[in-house]
């Protein structure tokens, strides 16, 4: 049986362009029943674009707020979706929750999963129908109807608008996003690749969720979810369901494998057991199930930045001006873009020192250089305050001549003032590594 398609572009190449070219967008696919390899994912396997339908339904919720959906599901053809709803665009980073996983192995037991570097991320112009518009058209009451534009800076309905019944009603609900892709065990419905997001996320005007059929103004390709995929800005890639065939409003979150048993942060209790001990215990199915049951599925991604150049162990030859070019990307949080990046340089303490140790013992008088922002969202976040795109940055770092091997450290903060955490907690699956970015053992040959 062939493996699903999983690819990561070269980190150094990734930040050459603000908008990630389609051929540099990573591929992440879970195993599925049919077809085994995503190279074989032609639309004919799960239905052609011509016969594709999106079913919208609501169940188990107060039907006063679901309009026409209360009686029967609404079925939209792809063609209807494209004709009846304006083509909307959002520039948003798609980031796998496992981005930067391999970096954790430097200071911890190796997390389970594909050992991704820092390039399972892409900044793309997504195009499609607004998810909010589709739900409103289906008769779903607007939880944000009583919001002033000022109040929309909060991602949840305000207290004030909670006095409106629709906002109160929507607060506890979920929108399920179901794929036509069957998971490995293909009998139960819950084994379908699926996710759910809070209904208020799906319906927030500034969250810009899309039912996408284009990327970078080209038709979406089958490997990236054609004919239709969910775009859920600010949320882990696992919720951006590909080959999307149904939406369901429900009073409970999705129980699908990517929600129930996959994308969760499994961490040992501090002081009670070591990471290695925990990783060993988690090989036992019952223990793992108990641990999983205690955790909520991962949804939002937090602020983070990563150095894409130079690479670890790089030898910088052209040092005529005594400066090293450092560049990378930075992502914001909850719709507030990363607007500040700082970079510092220290003598590398050598291979015996773990990166977490290096970060914990940084000198107090470390000199941080403010990086220049190369590109940020053209949608002018200063107007709306909102952006789901990454920021590219660079800086020319002065390299002290007495240092032969050094480490470069980068950190960021968002327009809203959220700081990237210095060290993210280790977790069994290595999800959501948001630690300051560190490139180790960079050397300058001294002549
Ligand atoms: N149906 C389906 N949707 C899916 C997945 C999948 O395996 N099957 N993988 C998810 C994960 S974990 C990520 S990170 C993104 C990757 O999207 P891409 O392959 O277009 O980069 O799709 C998400 N949607
Ligand atoms: Mo992912």
């Amino acid at each position: 049986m062939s493996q699903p398609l999983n690819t990561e572009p070269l980190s150094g190449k990734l930040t050459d362009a603000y908008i990630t070219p389609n051929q540099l967008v990573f591929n992440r696919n879970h195993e599925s029943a049919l077809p085994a390899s995503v190279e074989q994912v032609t639309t004919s396997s799960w239905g052609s674009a011509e016969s594709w339908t999106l079913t919208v339904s609501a169940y188990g919720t107060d039907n006063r707020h679901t309009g026409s959906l209360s009686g029967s599901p609404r079925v939209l053809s792809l063609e209807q979706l494209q004709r009846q709803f304006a083509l909307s665009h959002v520039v948003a980073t798609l980031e796998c929750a496992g981005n930067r996983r391999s970096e954790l192995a430097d200071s911890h037991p190796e997390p389970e999963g594909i050992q991704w570097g820092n390039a399972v991320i892409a900044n793309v112009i997504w195009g499609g129908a607004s998810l909010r518009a589709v739900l409103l058209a289906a008769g779903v009451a607007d939880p944000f109807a009583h919001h002033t534009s000022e109040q929309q800076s909060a991602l949840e309905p305000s207290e004030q608008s909670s006095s409106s019944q629709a906002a109160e009603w929507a607060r506890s609900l979920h929108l399920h996003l179901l794929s036509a892709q069957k998971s490995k065990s293909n009998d139960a419905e819950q084994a379908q690749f699926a996710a759910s997001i809070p209904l208020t996320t799906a319906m927030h005007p500034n969250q810009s969720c899309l039912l996408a059929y284009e990327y970078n103004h080209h038709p979406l390709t089958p490997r990236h979810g054609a004919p239709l995929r969910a775009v859920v800005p600010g949320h882990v890639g696992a919720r951006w369901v590909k080959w999307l065939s149904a939406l369901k409003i429900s009073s409970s979150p999705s129980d699908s494998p990517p929600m129930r048993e996959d994308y969760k942060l499994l961490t040992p209790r501090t002081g009670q057991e070591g990471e290695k001990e925990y990783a060993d215990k988690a090989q036992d199915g019952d223990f793992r199930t108990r641990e999983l049951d205690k955790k909520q599925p991962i949804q939002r991604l937090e602020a983070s930045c990563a150095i894409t150049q130079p690479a670890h162990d790089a030898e910088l030859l052209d040092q005529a001006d005594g400066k090293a070019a450092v560049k990378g990307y930075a992502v914001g949080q909850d719709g507030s873009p990363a607007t500040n990046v700082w970079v510092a340089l220290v003598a590398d303490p050598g291979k015996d020192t773990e990166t977490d140790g290096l970060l914990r013992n940084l000198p107090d008088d470390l000199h941080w250089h403010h990086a220049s922002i190369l590109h940020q969202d053209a949608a002018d976040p200063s107007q709306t305050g909102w952006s789901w795109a990454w920021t590219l940055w660079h800086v020319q770092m002065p390299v002290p001549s007495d240092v032969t091997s050094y480490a470069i450290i980068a950190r960021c903060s968002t327009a809203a003032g959220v700081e990237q955490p210095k060290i993210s907690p280790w977790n069994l699956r290595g999800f959501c590594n948001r630690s300051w970015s560190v490139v180790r053992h960079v050397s300058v040959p001294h002549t």
Side-chain angles (χ1 to χ4, degrees):
M1 183 171 125
S2 52
Q3 289 296 309
L5 179 70
N6 290 304
T7 66
E8 176 175 10
L10 286 176
S11 171
K13 272 223 165 291
L14 186 67
T15 46
D16 283 349
Y18 177 66
I19 298 297
T20 310
N22 291 355
Q23 70 277 13
L24 280 192
V25 177
F26 71 95
N27 291 280
R28 172 70 183 112
N29 292 290
H30 291 74
E31 279 182 56
S32 62
L34 233 195
S37 147
V38 175
E39 288 296 40
Q40 294 163 281
V41 177
T42 57
T43 43
S44 57
S45 317
W46 293 318
S48 68
E50 290 74 50
S51 61
W52 194 264
T53 56
L54 178 75
T55 306
V56 189
S57 63
Y59 63 104
T61 96
D62 183 340
N63 60 20
R64 279 171 304 165
H65 301 290
T66 47
S68 62
L69 290 184
S70 318
S72 55
R74 194 155 166 211
V75 183
L76 284 162
S77 68
L78 189 66
E79 200 251 322
Q80 281 174 313
L81 196 74
Q82 294 172 334
R83 195 164 31 83
Q84 293 173 9
F85 298 91
L87 170 60
S88 305
H89 291 102
V90 63
V91 183
T93 50
L94 165 63
E95 182 178 356
C96 181
N99 194 26
R100 304 181 58 206
R101 173 180 287 142
S102 64
E103 297 172 27
L104 290 162
D106 176 275
S107 313
H108 306 273
E110 181 174 296
E112 294 176 2
I114 302 169
Q115 294 305 301
W116 298 115
N118 63 15
V120 276
I121 182 168
N123 193 54
V124 170
I125 308 167
W126 302 98
S130 149
L131 177 55
R132 171 181 161 84
V134 170
L135 293 172
L136 288 178
V140 179
D142 184 2
F144 298 96
H146 295 265
H147 261 218
T148 62
S149 54
E150 220 161 74
Q151 286 169 332
Q152 280 170 11
S153 61
L155 284 171
E156 278 172 34
S158 66
E159 290 305 321
Q160 187 190 333
S161 68
S162 293
S163 59
S164 106
Q165 288 180 343
E168 191 51 46
W169 163 81
R171 252 173 206 284
S172 57
L173 297 182
H174 306 265
L175 182 72
H176 293 220
L177 308 162
L178 291 103
S179 177
Q181 180 195 23
K182 296 272 184 274
S183 287
K184 245 167 85 189
S185 49
N186 62 344
D187 35 32
E189 186 195 71
Q190 65 179 37
Q192 250 170 304
F193 191 99
S196 65
I197 56 175
L199 183 62
T200 53
T201 300
M203 296 200 74
H204 193 287
N206 289 335
Q207 180 77 51
S208 304
C209 292
L210 294 184
L211 303 173
Y213 46 84
E214 286 186 2
Y215 69 149
N216 296 331
H217 306 297
H218 288 275
L220 206 60
T221 47
R223 62 168 65 179
H224 293 297
L228 199 64
R229 83 174 301 167
V231 165
V232 190
H235 287 236
V236 290
R239 311 305 175 218
W240 298 42
V241 174
K242 299 192 274 191
W243 313 296
L244 183 68
S245 60
L247 304 175
K248 271 184 201 173
I249 297 176
S250 163
S251 54
S252 47
S254 162
D255 203 22
S256 64
M259 292 288 286
R260 191 183 68 243
E261 58 192 37
D262 201 343
Y263 292 88
K264 291 187 172 183
L265 295 176
L266 299 182
T267 47
R269 280 143 297 252
T270 24
Q272 281 192 26
E273 64 211 323
E275 292 167 350
K276 181 77 183 70
E277 191 188 337
Y278 184 78
D280 288 344
K281 272 204 229 168
Q283 298 318 304
D284 172 76
D286 292 341
F287 177 83
R288 186 181 287 241
T289 304
R290 282 197 304 278
E291 288 293 289
L292 284 165
D293 286 348
K294 289 184 214 158
K295 305 287 179 177
Q296 292 299 314
I298 303 167
Q299 292 282 6
R300 294 173 183 176
L301 280 167
E302 297 180 351
S304 175
C305 77
I307 299 168
T308 54
Q309 264 177 42
H312 293 287
D313 304 305
E315 264 199 12
L316 302 180
L317 295 171
D318 184 17
Q319 289 299 299
D321 59 354
K323 289 188 173 156
V326 181
K327 64 182 217 173
Y329 63 78
V331 289
Q333 182 172 325
D334 294 337
S336 177
T339 43
N340 284 293
V341 177
W342 295 271
V343 181
L345 198 142
V346 292
D348 197 301
K351 305 251 182 209
D352 291 344
T353 303
E354 300 169 343
T355 300
D356 279 10
L358 181 150
L359 285 174
R360 267 190 221 99
N361 297 310
L362 289 176
D364 293 335
D365 60 351
L366 195 60
H367 184 56
W368 291 99
H369 292 249
H370 209 167
S372 308
I373 302 303
L374 279 179
H375 296 279
Q376 56 190 10
D377 200 340
D380 191 6
S382 65
Q383 288 251 306
T384 63
W386 292 82
S387 170
W388 302 101
W390 71 11
T391 298
L392 296 187
W393 53 270
H394 81 144
V395 62
Q396 291 287 119
M397 288 295 287
V399 181
S401 57
D402 55 338
V403 179
T404 47
S405 171
Y406 52 90
I408 306 169
I409 304 149
R411 65 184 172 92
C412 74
S413 70
T414 70
V418 174
E419 302 269 343
Q420 180 178 1
K422 191 196 252 188
I423 297 173
S424 300
W426 176 86
N427 60 91
L428 184 68
R429 305 290 311 280
F431 289 132
C432 301
N433 178 10
R434 314 315 268 175
S435 300
W436 292 359
S437 181
V438 184
V439 170
R440 302 287 307 266
H441 315 292
V442 177
S443 64
V444 182
H446 289 282
T447 43

